[in-house]
Structures are given as C-alpha cells and as structure tokens.
C-alpha cells in the first residue's frame, strides 16, 4: 500500500513537472504586439526588434500624441504632455520607417516595456515616483505620473497588506522596495505585475489591518492615500488624523480643453476647470508655442483634436507640469498676438489668438509692405481670353498699376515678378515670407475652362482666417468700383499662394476672360486702372482702420478718394 | 498515506493549471505557414461614380457624380478615369453636366499603392494635355483636380489620390492649386443629383 502510494506520488510529481516543462514556449516566429495601457493596439506592420530594441512603424501613434519627422527625414519627433519632446532616429527596415519606441516613450513620460515571454511591448504612462511619507500614526503615499491613470485599493489579509493596483501604467523600474517601519507600515513594494504586465502593483506590508482614505480621484495624475494601522479596534485618534482636512487639496480639475474659431480671424483655446482658476502664459520658441500654466489644478482632460485649417493652432498638448500645475501647450502655426482672460462661466480660461497685424491696427499706408503677385508668367500663360489675350499679361499690367498707386501713397510694394518671367507657385509665397511683408495680394483673371462662358464677376479667395478681413476689404472695393457681379469671398484651402503665406494673403479674380463682355472691359486700360484702384482702396481700407467689421463698413461708405487716404495715413489720422 | 495521495493530486493539478495558465497568456502558437489575418476580398463593384461639373444658379461650379456600368471589375480605377475622360453623355450634357478634363487629356495609367500612413493611394497618370490645355481660373482648376480625386477616392479600397502628368508629379496643373500633394475626397464642392 505504502509503496503504491509513494510511486503514485512520484508519478504525479513527474507528470506535474512535465506539464510545466512542456508548456508551449513562444514560437520564434510569433508576431510581436503592442499593448497601449491595458489594450492591444493595432500596429501594422508589427513592431520589430532592431539591434535588440523594439521599433514600431512611423504610423504608430500613442493616443493623440503628435509625431512628426524633421525636415531632413532623419529624426522622429514625438511631442508629449506639458512641454515634453522626444527625438529618436528614423530607422528604415525592409521598406518601412520605424522608430525605437522605448526611447521615444521615455522622452515623453511614457514607458515602453518589452516582455519577450509574451512577445508584446507594453506602452503606458510612466509612474515616475512612489513616495511614502510616514508620520508617527499616518503614512501618506504619493504615486505620480504625467498622464491620468486609474487605480484601485484593496485590503489583503494573512499577512496584512494594502494593495494599490494601477492599471494601464508602467513603473519606472521593474521592482522596488522602500523600507518604512513607521505608522504601522513595514515597507512599500512596487512592481510591474508579472502575470499582467499592463498593471503596476504597489503593496504596503503592514503591522495590522489598515484603515485608509483616498485623497485623490479614481483617475488622476497623482494618487494620494492616507494610511494608518489602528492601535485598537476603536482608534478614534487615527480616524481623526485620517479625516483631517487635506492641506494639499487642489482647488480644481482641468476637465476639458477645446479650440474654437470664427470667421473674423479669432481663435480661442478654452480651458474648463471645475472651479475658478488663474493661469499665466509663456511664449516659447522652436517650435513656436504658448504654454499656459494653471496652478492648483489636476489634469483629467483629454487633449482636443485639432481640425486641419484651424487658424494659428497646430496642436494642443496637456500635461501635469508639476505636482499641482497643469500645463496647456498650444503649438502655433502662425505668428500671433495673445491674451489670456477668464471666461464668463466660472472656471473658464480663454486664450485668445489673433494675427499680429490684425491685433495692432496699422494707421495708413506709409511703411506698409505689400507683396503683389501677378499670377502665372513666362512659360505659364494662365487662361486665354475670348479675344485671345493671355491672362499673364493682364495680371502683370494690373499689378504694375497697383504698385504705382501704393508707391505714391508711401507704401512699400514688392512684386513676385516684374516682367514675363516663370515663377514657381511655391516661390511666390516664399518671397513674401522671406521679406516678412505685411500683406500678400495675388492678382488673377478667371475662366470656367470653356472657350466662352456665362459666368462673370469678382471672386476673392483666402485660406487662413486671419486673411478674411483683408479679403473682404478688397473684395468689396472691387465689386462696388467695377459694378461687377459679386461672386463672394471664398475660403479655398488648396490654393498654394494664400495657404503658404504667413501674413494675411488673398487671391483676387478680377473678372472672367471667357466672358465676352468682361474680357472686352479687361482689354481697356481705363478698366484695368479702375481694377487697380479698387485693389489699392481695399488695401487702404484694410490697413487704415482697425479691422473690426463696423469700422470697415463705415469707412467704405465714406468712399474716400485715394489721394485723401494716402495723405491721411501720414498726417491727420495718425493720432486716432 | 491519504495526505500523500492528496499532495500528489494537488501537484498534478498545479502542473495542469500552470500549463493552462501559460497557454492562456501566450495564446496558441501561430501556424508558421498561415497568415494571421486573411482580409476578405471586397465584393467586386458593378458601377463606378464619375464626377462631372455643373454650374449652379448662383454661378459657382460644383461636382455631381453619375454612375457608369463597370465592364471590367478587375480594373475599376482605370475604367472610372477613362469614363471621366470620355465626359458626360449628350443626355447628361442636356441636363447641365460639363466635362472637366481639358480636351486631349488621355489616361496613361492608374495604379494603387500601399503607402506608409496614407493607406491605399491611387496614382493617376494622365497625359500632358491635362496641364497644357487647361484654360481656367482657380475655381475651375479646383473642379478639374477634384473631378479626378473624387472619382478615384470614391472607389472602394482607395484612400487618397496622387496625380502625375506624363509619369511625374507636377506642382500644379493650372497655376493655382497644389497638385503635388495627396488629394482626398472633397465633399465641399459636391452636389448630388437629388440635392439640387
């Protein structure tokens, strides 16, 4: 009997060990996967190991963190919360572009951990510190990350412990133990959970069953817990200490950030907090950006998605800049003037952005730099009129007339071409940007593509919202001066010259060359002079007053003659 | 003795549990030959939408799609582009539709490539007449450009369009709009038949 049992036992032992030994090992060819937080994320092509480092394809994104490649195509730049930035080399591998995810993550307060056993790379907010501050009776545990994380607390018995489990997080190290030996806490151990590497477990080894109070919300960038071990079942003293007011309590959570813009050239970044807050703005360069610091707040907002074409704003990043300071970084696409104010709703901060010229109204034409861009030229004739006239000649003629009017008014005009030259489409805004002119005006004539068409009238195009006041001013002058059909001011994002110019820039279509009557008019020097005068008047109206709409309209109604306008800038209106 | 038996049974159980546990965390090892994901082939389209121009009562031009039967379902992109070159039927012209591509423009080829980050990109190669015979303003250029882009972008399996003239990218076909960038479906200038 004894022998049989012993051999059965041995047999079971062997089978048990065999079962463990025979457990399948990761196949060498298994496809590596990416886990973001605690969820498997799509990654195509899958990550690869290059020189022992996990690399992910360039298309891979962590949430909404912006990724771009520098102009040389060699460095991948990842922007993180607050104002963090990571730069890692772009690596080409089997026809795809990759970057080292662990290094890129580390630069933006994330952590990427490669778990070979699972063939997975875990990417999650980095827990940068686990700090126990122990008093005689109460220990305060602080766990800090740069992005909001979610946690739960559980009491464990035999032996008495308190478990703080943070899901979708990565610890700065594999495991760490901090000895305490105060307030009933022996030590604090923190480790990446080996059975689920998307979880960080923080265990407090205790002298007895704990009482605790969570000071932070369930989702936060700083977990704070007060922990104590009662000396006897009714330890009112401890309860009083645990329930004492929270001196570190922040006033508010930053709960939402949005970007709004109107067609008047105003863009607003709106920060909504759960209580009234104050903020301060710092302007930073390379890349140009504004950082709004909001003290006494914790971040729980997600960064807003920025639609392409949003004036001034290329992106918005959020982060816990310091323990209780939220930082909102606004990446700028254009030069701006800004002002931070408190909104009408309590707890709202509004960062107003406007074009530099739009905010600082110029007084009159003297000194105004204008880049005039006669469309087409050289080998690119543009459209051909009913009469056979080429658009490039018409554009140049009108631009020269505007040039003369501007010059005589004391403005400083420039031309992208002064004769029948071929000029690249991108070179035109390039010249305006390089010279830093105040306004850019591209002069074109229209056609519907057929030899003869019915369409006639004036169209004015712009791209960025800060160009709209200029577009309206010039368009109104053209329509009223020429008594031509108003075919409206239209936003056309694909137009290269207005899209690529950094200053207020427009493209005017001064009439249809495939409309017989308009083509005939455009053929007369008198009509072309009126076109030029209207464009000139529009520029004068635009820069002569503040760009508020009422101002524009009242000024237009006055129908000030050019000569008077030109003089006004130099003398009378200067002091207004 | 019973304690030994129990212990032995427990060890066996532990072994099996550990084995299952490892299996569960690792998942089944992928079969070396079979691909992990087999994308189902999209159903072959029977019709393609082709975008022609239309002048609205207020004088602006828009694009309106019309359906064309697809003779060769294996090459929808080429067929759609060729239908664009062929222009509207006389019935459609009476209904106000206008051809968009300049006279003489020919289709030199269309291919669809997978691009890093951009998805499936249809590369449309058209003859030099597209630029040489273009005779419009900026508004008409937008119509021409997006009649090509929308016609191809509307096809299943095309995410964006890249334009070539005689096999090479061009800065612009008419001197206003960028033609050397990825073109995506432009809904802003589309008016469908029933919307009028």
């Amino acid at each position: 009997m004894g022998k049989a049992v012993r051999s059965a036992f041995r047999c079971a032992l062997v089978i048990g060990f065999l079962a463990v030994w025979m457990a399948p090992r990761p196949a060498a060819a298994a496809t590596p996967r990416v886990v973001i937080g605690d969820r498997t994320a799509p990654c195509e092509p899958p990550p690869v190991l290059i020189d022992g480092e996990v690399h992910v394809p360039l298309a891979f994104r962590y949430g909404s963190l912006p990724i771009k490649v520098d102009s040389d195509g060699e460095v991948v730049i990842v922007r993180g919360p607050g104002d963090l930035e990571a730069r890692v080399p772009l690596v080409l591998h089997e026809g795809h572009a990759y970057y080292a995810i662990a290094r890129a993550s580390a630069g933006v307060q994330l952590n990427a951990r490669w778990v070979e056993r699972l063939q997975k790379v875990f990417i999650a907010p980095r827990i940068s510190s686990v700090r126990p501050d122990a008093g005689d009776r109460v220990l305060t545990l602080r766990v800090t990350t740069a992005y909001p994380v979610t946690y739960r607390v559980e009491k464990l018995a035999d032996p008495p412990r308190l478990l703080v489990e943070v899901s979708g997080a990565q610890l700065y190290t594999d495991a760490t133990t901090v000895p305490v030996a105060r307030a009933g806490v022996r030590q604090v151990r923190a480790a990446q959970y080996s059975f689920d590497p998307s979880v960080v477990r923080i265990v407090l080894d205790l002298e007895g069953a704990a009482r605790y109070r969570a000071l932070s919300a369930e989702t936060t960038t700083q977990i704070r817990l007060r922990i104590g071990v009662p000396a006897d079942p009714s330890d009112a003293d401890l309860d009083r200490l645990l329930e004492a007011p929270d001196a570190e309590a922040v006033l508010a959570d930053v709960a939402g950030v949005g970007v709004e813009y109107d067609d008047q050239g105003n863009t607003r970044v709106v920060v909504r907090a759960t209580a009234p807050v104050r903020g301060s703005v710092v302007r930073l360069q390379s890349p140009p950006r504004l950082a709004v610091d909001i003290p006494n707040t914790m971040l729980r907002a997600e960064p807003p998605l920025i639609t392409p074409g949003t004036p001034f704003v290329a992106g918005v990043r959020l982060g816990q800049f310091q323990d209780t300071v939220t930082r909102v970084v606004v990446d700028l696409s254009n030069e701006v003037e800004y002002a931070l104010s408190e909104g009408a709703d309590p707890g709202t901060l509004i960062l107003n952005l406007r074009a530099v010229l739009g905010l600082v109204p110029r007084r009159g034409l003297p000194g105004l730099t204008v880049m005039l861009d006669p469309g087409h030229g050289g080998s690119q004739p543009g459209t051909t009129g009913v009469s056979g006239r080429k658009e490039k000649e018409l554009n140049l003629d009108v631009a020269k007339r505007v040039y003369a009017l501007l010059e005589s008014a004391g403005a400083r005009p420039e031309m992208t071409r002064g004769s029948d030259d071929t000029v690249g489409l991108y070179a035109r805004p390039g010249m305006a940007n390089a010279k830093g002119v105040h306004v850019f005006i591209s002069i074109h004539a229209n056609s519907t593509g057929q030899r003869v068409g019915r369409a006639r009238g004036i169209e004015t195009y712009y791209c960025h919202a800060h160009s709209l006041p200029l577009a309206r001013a010039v368009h109104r002058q053209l329509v009223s001066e020429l008594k031509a059909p108003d075919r409206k001011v239209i936003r056309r994002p694909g137009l290269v010259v207005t899209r690529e110019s950094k200053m207020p820039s427009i493209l005017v279509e001064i009439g249809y060359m495939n409309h017989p009557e308009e083509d005939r008019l455009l053929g007369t020097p008198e009509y072309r002079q009126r076109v030029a005068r209207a464009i000139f008047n529009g520029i004068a109206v635009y820069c002569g007053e503040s760009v508020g709409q009422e101002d524009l309209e009242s000024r237009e109604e006055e129908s000030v003659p050019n000569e008077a306008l030109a003089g006004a800038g130099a003398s009378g209106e200067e002091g207004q | 003795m019973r304690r030994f038996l129990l212990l032995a049974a427990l060890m066996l159980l532990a072994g099996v549990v550990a084995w299952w546990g490892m299996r569960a965390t690792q998942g089944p090892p992928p079969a070396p030959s079979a691909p992990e994901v087999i994308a189902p082939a999209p159903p072959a389209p029977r019709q393609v939408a082709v975008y022609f121009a239309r002048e609205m009562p207020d004088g602006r031009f828009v694009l309106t799609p019309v359906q064309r039967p697809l003779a060769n379902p294996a090459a929808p992109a080429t067929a759609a582009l060729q239908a664009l070159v062929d222009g509207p039927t006389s019935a459609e012209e009476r209904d106000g539709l206008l051809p968009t591509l300049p006279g003489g423009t020919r289709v030199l080829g269309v291919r669809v490539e997978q691009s890093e980050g951009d998805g499936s990109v249809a590369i449309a190669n058209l003859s030099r007449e597209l630029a040489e015979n273009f005779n419009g303003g900026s508004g008409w250029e937008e119509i021409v450009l997006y009649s090509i882009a929308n016609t191809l972008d509307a096809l299943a399996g095309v995410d964006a369009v890249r334009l070539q003239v005689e096999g090479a990218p061009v800065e612009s076909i008419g001197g206003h709009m960028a033609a050397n960038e990825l073109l995506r479906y432009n809904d802003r200038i589309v008016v469908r038949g029933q919307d009028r």
Side-chain angles (χ1 to χ4, degrees):
Chain A
M1 186 66 181
K3 239 180 174 174
V5 169
R6 227 169 281 150
S7 67
F9 170 67
R10 277 201 203 115
C11 194
L13 205 63
V14 169
I15 291 171
F17 276 115
L18 272 179
V20 172
W21 273 102
M22 286 166 63
R25 314 205 156 257
T31 309
R33 302 294 186 88
V34 182
V35 180
I36 289 183
D38 53 5
R39 283 169 197 202
T40 304
C43 184
E44 193 52 49
V48 289
L49 278 174
I50 302 172
D51 295 336
E53 267 189 297
V54 181
H55 284 65
V56 292
L58 193 56
F60 177 80
R61 295 277 185 284
Y62 178 87
S64 58
L65 289 194
I67 292 185
K68 64 172 204 174
V69 178
D70 75 336
S71 51
D72 297 333
E74 289 176 355
V75 178
V76 178
I77 304 162
V78 182
R79 300 263 163 74
D83 202 23
L84 297 166
E85 183 182 283
R87 289 168 173 265
V88 289
L90 186 147
V91 180
L92 290 174
H93 176 76
E94 293 180 353
H96 292 289
Y98 291 87
Y99 63 99
I101 185 66
R103 270 186 284 158
S105 301
V108 292
Q109 287 292 319
L110 292 166
N111 218 52
R113 183 186 302 269
W114 168 241
V115 181
E116 194 180 357
R117 173 172 62 89
L118 304 176
Q119 290 287 299
K120 281 180 180 169
V121 57
F122 291 83
I123 306 168
R126 177 192 185 90
I127 291 185
S128 52
S129 79
V130 177
R131 209 171 80 213
D133 288 324
D136 284 339
R137 298 294 330 267
V138 171
L139 175 141
T140 306
L141 180 73
R142 291 184 183 79
V143 179
T144 315
T145 67
Y147 304 75
V149 292
T150 304
Y151 73 101
R152 69 179 187 92
V153 184
E154 188 182 336
K155 291 182 192 180
L156 303 174
D158 296 328
R161 286 157 294 159
L162 193 71
L163 166 68
V164 182
E165 195 171 85
V166 191
S167 45
Q170 290 290 317
L171 192 62
Y172 59 92
T173 179
D174 289 341
T176 181
T177 301
V178 187
V180 179
R182 280 187 91 179
V185 180
R186 289 184 179 147
Q187 58 182 7
V188 178
R189 295 178 285 137
Q192 205 69 41
Y193 192 29
S194 57
F195 285 97
D196 180 355
S198 71
V199 170
V200 172
R201 293 186 125 203
I202 301 161
V203 176
L204 290 86
D205 292 312
L206 307 170
E207 302 284 355
R211 284 180 197 168
Y212 72 91
R213 178 183 163 208
L215 300 172
S216 47
E218 273 174 30
T219 301
T220 178
T221 52
Q222 196 190 57
I223 301 168
R224 280 187 307 129
L225 295 172
R226 270 183 198 159
I227 299 139
V229 175
D232 53 74
S234 64
D235 189 340
D237 234 24
L238 178 64
D239 287 343
R240 207 169 45 249
L241 287 167
L242 288 175
E243 294 304 321
D246 182 8
E248 291 172 53
V250 294
L251 294 172
D253 283 351
V254 170
V257 178
V259 177
E260 306 163 354
Y261 63 95
D262 59 28
D263 59 5
Q264 305 292 315
N266 301 298
T267 299
R268 294 148 44 103
V269 179
V270 182
V271 179
R272 290 177 196 85
T274 51
V277 289
R278 289 176 178 280
S280 57
V281 191
V282 208
R283 188 193 278 273
L284 299 161
Q285 292 305 330
S286 45
R289 60 202 192 275
L290 298 172
V292 184
D293 284 337
I294 310 164
N296 297 320
T297 56
M298 295 296 273
L299 173 65
R300 65 174 158 92
E302 291 291 323
L305 288 176
I306 308 299
T307 48
T310 303
F312 315 125
V313 179
V316 172
R317 297 175 277 142
L318 309 176
Q320 200 70 43
F321 183 56
Q322 289 160 12
D323 280 359
T324 58
V325 179
T326 300
R327 175 168 271 197
V328 178
V329 177
V330 180
D331 289 310
L332 299 173
S333 53
N334 295 87
E335 277 297 305
V336 293
E337 294 285 336
Y338 65 87
L340 187 71
S341 58
E342 285 171 36
D345 293 335
T348 339
L349 280 181
I350 296 169
L351 181 67
N352 275 296
L353 306 175
R354 286 190 68 170
V356 174
L357 194 63
L359 257 200
V360 185
R362 292 189 51 84
R363 299 291 177 192
L365 289 163
L368 185 84
T369 49
V370 181
M371 183 64 79
L372 296 169
D373 173 41
H376 313 286
S379 64
Q380 295 154 0
T383 191
T384 307
V386 180
S387 59
R389 191 179 302 100
K390 292 195 184 319
E391 184 198 345
K392 64 177 184 178
E393 291 159 10
L394 176 65
N395 296 340
L396 182 60
D397 179 274
V398 171
K400 280 180 173 171
R401 290 170 191 270
V402 180
Y403 185 101
L405 289 167
L406 284 168
E407 201 172 38
S408 68
R412 298 208 310 258
E414 310 247 5
M415 305 257 275
T416 55
R417 65 179 179 100
S419 54
D420 187 19
D421 301 323
T422 307
V423 182
L425 199 49
Y426 289 82
R428 297 165 190 258
M431 286 182 218
N433 293 340
K435 297 219 165 176
V437 297
H438 293 122
V439 293
F440 177 96
I441 300 199
S442 190
I443 298 168
H444 283 252
N446 224 334
S447 165
T448 57
Q450 297 80 39
R451 209 188 71 78
V452 178
R454 286 180 292 138
R456 63 178 298 181
I458 308 296
E459 282 172 35
T460 303
Y461 300 122
Y462 71 102
C463 178
H464 306 296
H466 66 236
S467 301
L468 186 61
L470 175 66
R472 284 188 172 153
V474 174
H475 184 78
R476 283 178 185 165
Q477 292 295 323
L478 279 165
V479 169
S480 62
E481 166 71 31
L482 303 175
K483 313 232 172 346
D486 180 355
R487 294 174 67 96
K488 302 286 189 282
V489 172
I490 301 164
R491 179 163 183 270
R492 185 154 281 165
L495 283 180
V496 171
V497 291
T498 51
R499 188 185 64 190
E500 300 298 320
S501 302
K502 294 199 184 305
M503 67 291 309
S505 55
I506 60 171
L507 186 151
V508 290
E509 296 275 13
I510 57 175
Y512 277 77
M513 292 182 75
N514 70 334
H515 186 281
E517 173 59 10
E518 238 170 24
D519 186 51
R520 188 192 64 76
L521 286 169
L522 287 165
T524 67
E526 294 75 25
Y527 191 81
R528 292 201 296 273
Q529 185 63 25
R530 283 169 63 199
V531 172
R533 194 165 287 267
I535 294 171
F536 168 81
N537 281 355
I539 300 169
V541 165
Y542 171 70
C543 74
E545 295 286 351
S546 75
V547 292
Q549 226 29 59
E550 289 85 356
D551 289 342
L552 269 185
E553 272 153 15
S554 62
R555 185 61 180 269
E556 275 172 38
E557 281 157 15
E558 288 168 26
S559 185
V560 185
N562 303 317
E563 290 73 20
L565 255 184
S571 57
E573 294 188 8
E574 194 73 49
Q576 277 186 9
Chain B
M1 281 308 151
R2 285 181 58 188
R3 280 179 59 183
F4 275 119
L5 265 175
L6 192 65
L7 197 60
L10 274 176
M11 291 291 286
L12 182 60
L13 190 68
V16 171
V17 165
W19 183 70
W20 274 107
M22 297 284 277
R23 268 180 64 101
T25 46
Q26 288 171 347
S33 58
E36 264 204 338
V37 181
I38 302 162
R46 293 190 181 164
Q47 286 195 316
V48 287
V50 183
Y51 287 74
F52 293 119
R54 179 190 296 285
E55 188 176 4
M56 298 300 276
D58 64 0
R60 79 194 159 102
F61 285 88
V62 296
L63 289 170
T64 296
V66 294
Q67 299 295 323
R68 288 280 185 274
L70 187 54
N72 178 8
T78 310
L81 211 49
Q82 187 57 50
L84 189 65
V85 167
D86 294 343
T89 62
S90 30
E92 286 165 350
E93 279 191 350
R94 279 195 296 278
D95 191 37
L97 289 187
L98 297 162
T100 59
L101 300 190
T105 305
R106 286 165 294 121
V107 181
L108 301 181
V110 193
R111 64 180 197 279
V112 178
E113 284 185 357
Q114 294 304 312
S115 165
E116 187 80 45
D118 297 320
S120 304
V121 178
I123 296 162
N125 184 11
L126 294 162
S127 66
R128 64 180 73 245
E129 289 83 359
L130 177 69
E132 282 177 2
N133 293 352
F134 176 84
N135 190 30
S138 55
W140 185 250
E141 186 174 357
E142 184 176 46
I143 290 293
V144 173
L145 204 56
Y146 282 97
S147 71
I148 302 167
N150 283 9
T151 297
L152 292 175
D153 272 325
L155 295 171
V158 174
D159 299 317
V161 173
R162 204 177 275 291
L163 191 63
Q164 291 183 341
V165 173
E166 302 288 335
V170 286
E171 205 172 58
S172 177
I173 57 174
H176 316 92
M177 305 285 293
N180 53 356
E181 300 171 355
L182 272 190
L183 302 170
R184 295 189 191 274
Y185 190 89
N186 183 348
D187 200 33
R188 196 170 48 80
I189 53 171
V190 172
V191 174
R192 285 164 212 287
Q194 63 270 25
D195 297 345
R196 285 186 293 137

